[in-house]
Amino acid sequence: MSDAEAKNILKLYDTHADAFARLRSRQLMEKAWLDTFLHLVGAHGSVLDIGCGNGRPIAEYCIQQGFQVTGVDGASAMLARAQQAFPEQRWVNLDMRQMALEKTFDGLIAWDSFFHLTREDQRLMFPIFARHSQPGSALMFTSGTCNGIAMGEFEGEPLYHASLSPEEYRQLLAENGFTVLQSVFEDPHCGGHTVWLCQFA
């Protein structure tokens, strides 16, 4: 399990954008978490969806609730679908590791996206989260449960995931100005996701 699989993530999602759109659940098991996150964001707030993919169902739900969304994704075929479905929102074709939008947001979400980065790249994301936050901004992301690499599969190709330890996530969040409001490991009400909900000081 080398960095090669991690480097292939954007190409994999570009290649299989149609399959992802077909297979991605639209049942919105994430609804309870999204509602809590959007309550923190506040009415008419701005949301930065990091690794937004085709915009469904996460960005779609935020838009339906009346929020302005900026979506960032490095897989252009995925992003094109979001642009087509929700042309009134802002979509940026960019690797999240290179994000420098020179703007802050009321909420940042990296749902099932950030965990495709190597552990080294994940560490570097926390200052990027902070630069796009303002006092009170919400941050929600999903991770693994312990330090390590886990390989999945999508359309017959290896799918890379990595995670830091919970202790290191807490340390990085604190160092970059975030307070952890909630963290649930393998939430049985959300398909076994491990979710972090934080707020910028």
Side-chain angles (χ1 to χ4, degrees):
M1 292 183 294
S2 70
D3 283 354
E5 286 86 359
K7 288 175 182 169
N8 193 49
I9 286 292
L10 294 177
K11 181 173 178 287
L12 185 150
Y13 278 115
D14 251 341
T15 302
H16 300 297
D18 289 347
F20 183 87
R22 187 176 69 250
L23 297 169
R24 174 60 160 101
S25 171
R26 302 284 288 280
Q27 294 302 306
L28 207 69
M29 62 184 169
E30 307 91 345
K31 183 179 183 300
W33 280 106
L34 287 170
D35 286 342
T36 304
F37 168 75
L38 292 173
H39 179 74
L40 278 174
V41 171
H44 312 297
S46 57
V47 173
L48 177 61
D49 188 355
I50 303 165
C52 63
N54 62 22
R56 290 187 161 123
I58 301 295
E60 178 179 47
Y61 184 73
C62 296
I63 294 162
Q64 287 169 348
Q65 305 312 304
F67 293 85
Q68 279 296 119
V69 172
T70 296
V72 171
D73 204 286
S76 55
M78 299 279 279
L79 200 73
R81 286 176 169 272
Q83 175 77 56
Q84 185 175 16
F86 312 106
E88 72 284 2
Q89 308 297 321
R90 184 184 178 204
W91 307 101
V92 184
N93 189 194
L94 187 67
D95 186 318
M96 69 174 76
R97 294 167 291 189
Q98 279 130 35
M99 264 196 333
L101 302 179
E102 297 180 357
K103 184 181 175 186
T104 58
F105 297 84
D106 300 304
L108 295 80
I109 184 166
W111 192 274
D112 287 357
S113 57
F114 164 78
F115 65 7
H116 287 312
L117 302 181
T118 65
R119 286 166 291 182
E120 293 77 11
D121 283 343
Q122 287 189 31
R123 293 181 183 108
L124 296 174
M125 283 301 300
F126 287 89
I128 295 173
F129 293 151
R131 283 199 297 274
H132 292 84
S133 299
Q134 58 205 22
S137 291
L139 167 67
M140 188 163 71
F141 65 93
T142 52
S143 75
T145 56
C146 59
N147 182 45
I149 294 170
M151 296 302 295
E153 186 181 283
F154 187 63
E155 294 296 283
E157 295 196 55
L159 185 62
Y160 179 98
H161 307 81
S163 182
L164 306 175
S165 69
E167 296 75 23
E168 187 170 3
Y169 282 128
R170 287 184 181 277
Q171 180 184 342
L172 286 163
L173 285 160
E175 286 173 357
N176 288 280
F178 291 96
T179 301
V180 178
L181 302 181
Q182 275 183 275
S183 60
V184 176
F185 293 80
E186 297 181 330
D187 184 353
H189 305 295
C190 189
H193 281 83
T194 293
V195 187
W196 298 80
L197 180 64
C198 318
Q199 194 164 33
F200 192 62

